[in-house]
Amino acid sequence: MWCAATLASAKFISGMSMVDSLLEFRDIRAAYGEAVVLDGISFAVPANGSLAVLGRNGVGKTTLLLAAMGFVTLMRGSIWFKGKDISHLPPHRRAQLGIGWVPQERDIFPSLTVEENLTVAARSGRWDIDGIYRLFPRLKERRGNMGNQLSGGEQQMLTIARTLMTNPAILLLDEPLEGLAPIIVEELTGAIRRMTEQEGIALVLVEQHAEVALGITEDAIVIERGIVAHRARSRDLLRDPATLDRYVGLQLETSAQ
Ligand SMILES: Nc1ncnc2c1ncn2[C@@H]1O[C@H](COP(=O)(O)OP(=O)(O)O)[C@@H](O)[C@H]1O
Ligand SMILES: [Mg+2]
């Protein structure tokens, strides 16, 4: 039964059949001890596709990315990448296969320069240091600076750039815009858009900034109570503030807190 449901959702999300999906969750259940966080999550991201994962604080967005990488044990369901069941592979194997995970913490080497941070991560493939500097001109300007001399926004760019140096087919970004000034948000979203639209890298973008995330993705899911409570094309959800407000709370809630 889940198979038919997954097929339907994959078609809904991508407009393609399941075989065309790059990353796919099939009916995922995941928990911390007794506390079930995800309870039947299915979605598919096609090659070159981009998916915004929205939802209020604590609904399980980070857990979803941890499950994709293999840091959370699945109680049910399977995860597929490039047509293979990767559910039982350890995190480093998933990374080798081409899943690039950028955790919420900006994880750079503080006592290495920007350029050293990039070269230690390098793996042969499409991306080299020049390509990275074209995508992030600000990192080129700061190439000789130490990691600990960078602003929050520059650290975030470096974290993403380091992951790109491993030549992933898909990037999983966990709230990359959190705490950044609007001008930096603009710079970073511009780079993310170029990565997906021009370089063909697929994307799963977890964000609290729903409107920004919807502006740079094709499809969106909203997580609530462990399930996918809403699916839509990003551009349609962007034009539907009532639905967005119901699930994500928009700015109304944040400014009231
Ligand atoms: N290591 C953990 N152990 C136990 N509970 C956790 C752990 N990490 C997260 N949780 C809980 O799981 C739920 C989902 O967390 P998370 O995936 O971080 O949500 P989000 O990223 O959407 O804010 C929350 O209730 C959180 O408190
Ligand atoms: Mg989180």
Side-chain angles (χ1 to χ4, degrees):
M1 198 179 93
W2 59 264
C3 199
T6 311
L7 183 58
S9 67
K11 282 192 162 147
F12 182 81
I13 283 284
S14 65
M16 298 171 164
S17 72
M18 267 195 329
V19 271
D20 294 321
S21 71
L22 179 66
L23 176 69
E24 191 180 335
F25 272 44
R26 296 187 189 169
D27 196 30
I28 293 304
R29 181 175 226 237
Y32 298 105
E34 300 278 286
V36 175
V37 176
L38 305 177
D39 198 8
I41 299 277
S42 298
F43 64 82
V45 184
N48 307 338
S50 51
L51 179 75
V53 178
L54 308 177
R56 292 172 197 270
N57 235 336
V59 295
K61 303 181 299 299
T62 292
T63 304
L64 184 151
L65 298 187
L66 293 175
M69 288 314 292
F71 291 111
V72 179
T73 311
L74 303 183
M75 300 167 71
R76 193 181 73 216
S78 56
I79 296 175
W80 294 70
F81 185 64
K82 294 181 178 169
K84 277 176 49 180
D85 184 351
I86 60 163
S87 312
H88 300 288
L89 295 183
H92 73 273
R93 286 284 301 128
R94 300 186 197 201
Q96 281 168 358
L97 285 175
I99 307 182
W101 172 56
V102 181
Q104 215 161 349
E105 309 77 38
R106 286 155 202 165
D107 183 22
I108 55 169
F109 296 113
S111 56
L112 296 184
T113 64
V114 165
E115 189 143 316
E116 287 165 346
N117 264 281
L118 292 170
T119 47
V120 292
R123 237 169 47 187
S124 62
R126 156 85 183 77
W127 287 94
D128 58 15
I129 206 107
D130 293 330
I132 293 287
Y133 286 155
R134 275 195 295 278
L135 192 61
F136 296 102
R138 187 186 279 262
L139 291 182
K140 186 174 187 183
E141 287 165 27
R142 305 286 256 145
R143 64 203 291 172
N145 285 99
M146 296 294 174
N148 61 9
Q149 296 172 320
L150 303 178
S151 70
E154 290 164 348
Q155 288 181 27
Q156 186 60 269
M157 286 174 199
L158 183 54
T159 313
I160 294 173
R162 269 187 46 181
T163 306
L164 272 184
M165 289 293 280
T166 68
N167 284 287
I170 191 167
L171 270 182
L172 314 180
L173 302 184
D174 198 344
E175 299 205 32
L177 310 175
E178 192 191 8
L180 302 183
I183 180 89
I184 302 293
V185 166
E186 216 168 282
E187 204 174 316
L188 199 50
T189 52
I192 293 171
R193 198 195 290 274
R194 287 195 295 281
M195 272 173 350
T196 55
E197 291 176 4
Q198 292 167 25
E199 308 292 344
I201 296 174
L203 173 69
V204 176
L205 176 60
V206 166
E207 254 308 322
Q208 291 285 330
H209 294 71
E211 290 179 285
V212 179
L214 292 171
I216 55 173
T217 52
E218 287 159 14
D219 298 294
I221 56 175
V222 182
I223 309 289
E224 200 177 70
R225 283 175 271 107
I227 61 164
V228 177
H230 191 76
R231 292 175 199 269
R233 300 291 286 184
S234 296
R235 78 172 84 89
D236 295 335
L237 190 52
L238 203 50
R239 292 197 213 103
D240 184 1
T243 303
L244 256 187
D245 190 34
R246 181 158 96 238
Y247 289 119
V248 193
L250 276 178
Q251 283 83 4
L252 290 171
E253 197 192 47
T254 10
S255 56
Q257 280 174 352

